[in-house]
Amino acid sequence: MDDCEAILEYVYASCKDEGASWFSYHFTPAFESQTSKKAFIWARDYPLEYQKLYIGADYKRRDPVPQLTFEHGPILTWTGARKLAQGDREAEAYFERLDELGVDNWVAFALFGPRNRDAFALVRFGQDPDHFAMGRLQQVQSLLLAAHLQICKVIDEGKPSVVLSEREREVLEWMGRGKSSNDIATILEISPETVRTYTRRIYDKLQTNDRVTATVRALKLGLVEL
């Protein structure tokens, strides 16, 4: 596959076959932390209240799970993460809030990529993953890692130097925040067709046909900040 969004849709579909109910993939630009503002997130079916907290209440920056996973993973279940966080007041408070939202049965995966471009994935299952048969989570990890390496390869195939206009940059930033063409049109006070025109120009400059690849390539090149 050479379409990053298609890769992630395929991965999520495969995870759903294993009983997943929601999924997120966090791409980390080189030499940045997994909770950096520049980290790109692609998510599906996350609880709405958790989304609001993660973005609006700065829970992304406070999230202890990525660091715990890279230090103690590459596979870390929710119960393992909670044990490792004992004694850390901020981390314990974070997990207590997840309990209040009913966020459980998740597994975190550390995905190491070339040239320090790592990623982090979180998968929530319908059943407690601590009771899964041996090797089941390793299979999911292998799929996620293969997908991450392919995404890195696709991103590397983009142009080394790209110049975006100010309006193109604005459109791309809102795309990276998950806004639809109609939403962007309302925010920027332009027509949806004009947004689609800018989107086509962005895709052409970044040599892609999907939002995920365009956003991650732009982040890599320092063209946008999310």
Side-chain angles (χ1 to χ4, degrees), residues 18 31 37 41 94 99 101 123 129 139 154 161 169 171 178 184 187 211 226:
E18 291 294 330
F31 307 112
K37 284 185 177 181
I41 302 175
Y94 185 94
D99 286 343
L101 296 172
V123 184
Q139 282 188 315
V154 171
S161 179
R169 187 177 294 108
V171 170
I184 296 171
I187 293 167
R211 290 181 169 217
L226 302 181

Side-chain angles (χ1 to χ4, degrees):
M1 291 182 178
D2 59 2
D3 180 320
C4 290
E5 192 152 19
I7 292 170
L8 292 172
E9 291 286 7
Y10 173 81
V11 167
Y12 181 40
S14 299
C15 288
K16 288 175 74 173
D17 289 341
E18 291 294 330
S21 55
W22 45 259
F23 168 87
S24 66
Y25 168 81
H26 309 234
F27 185 92
T28 308
F31 307 112
E32 293 283 347
S33 72
Q34 288 74 40
T35 55
S36 163
K37 284 185 177 181
K38 296 181 180 179
F40 170 74
I41 302 175
W42 186 93
R44 286 291 182 271
D45 298 330
Y46 257 59
L48 181 59
E49 288 303 313
Y50 188 26
Q51 290 184 52
K52 290 178 179 178
L53 281 175
Y54 206 77
I55 303 300
D58 202 26
Y59 267 49
K60 177 181 177 181
R61 181 188 59 81
R62 297 164 54 191
D63 189 353
V65 178
Q67 182 177 348
L68 290 172
T69 307
F70 275 89
E71 290 178 352
H72 303 281
I75 301 173
L76 186 64
T77 66
W78 66 306
T79 53
R82 293 181 69 97
K83 288 178 183 177
L84 291 168
Q86 289 178 355
D88 184 328
R89 288 188 176 182
E90 187 171 353
E92 288 179 341
Y94 185 94
F95 289 129
E96 287 172 3
R97 185 67 179 116
L98 295 191
D99 286 343
E100 294 172 3
L101 296 172
V103 177
D104 58 7
N105 294 344
W106 48 264
V107 182
F109 300 86
L111 308 172
F112 295 94
R115 294 181 296 283
N116 295 295
R117 277 180 307 185
D118 300 329
F120 162 77
L122 198 73
V123 184
R124 194 269 180 184
F125 293 93
Q127 298 178 331
D128 189 342
D130 285 318
H131 301 311
F132 284 2
M134 186 178 299
R136 186 172 173 183
L137 292 179
Q138 282 84 353
Q139 282 188 315
V140 175
Q141 163 76 8
S142 296
L143 174 65
L144 290 168
L145 180 57
H148 175 59
L149 293 176
Q150 180 63 13
I151 287 172
C152 289
K153 180 181 176 182
V154 171
I155 292 166
D156 282 340
E157 292 171 353
K159 292 180 181 178
S161 179
V162 177
V163 177
L164 297 178
S165 69
E166 184 61 31
R167 184 62 92 185
E168 288 168 346
R169 187 177 294 108
E170 288 177 333
V171 170
L172 184 54
E173 286 178 349
W174 286 113
M175 284 169 51
R177 294 171 183 151
K179 298 299 183 182
S180 67
S181 294
N182 287 339
D183 290 336
I184 296 171
T186 300
I187 293 167
L188 299 180
E189 298 182 343
I190 56 179
S191 71
E193 183 56 39
T194 301
V195 173
R196 286 188 282 271
T197 298
Y198 282 121
T199 301
R200 287 193 293 269
R201 292 177 186 172
I202 292 166
Y203 287 171
D204 182 60
K205 289 183 177 182
L206 292 169
Q207 293 187 327
T208 184
N209 292 304
D210 73 277
R211 290 181 169 217
V212 174
T213 310
T215 304
V216 175
R217 280 184 181 163
L219 286 167
K220 173 191 171 186
L221 295 171
L223 298 174
V224 297
E225 290 187 7
L226 302 181

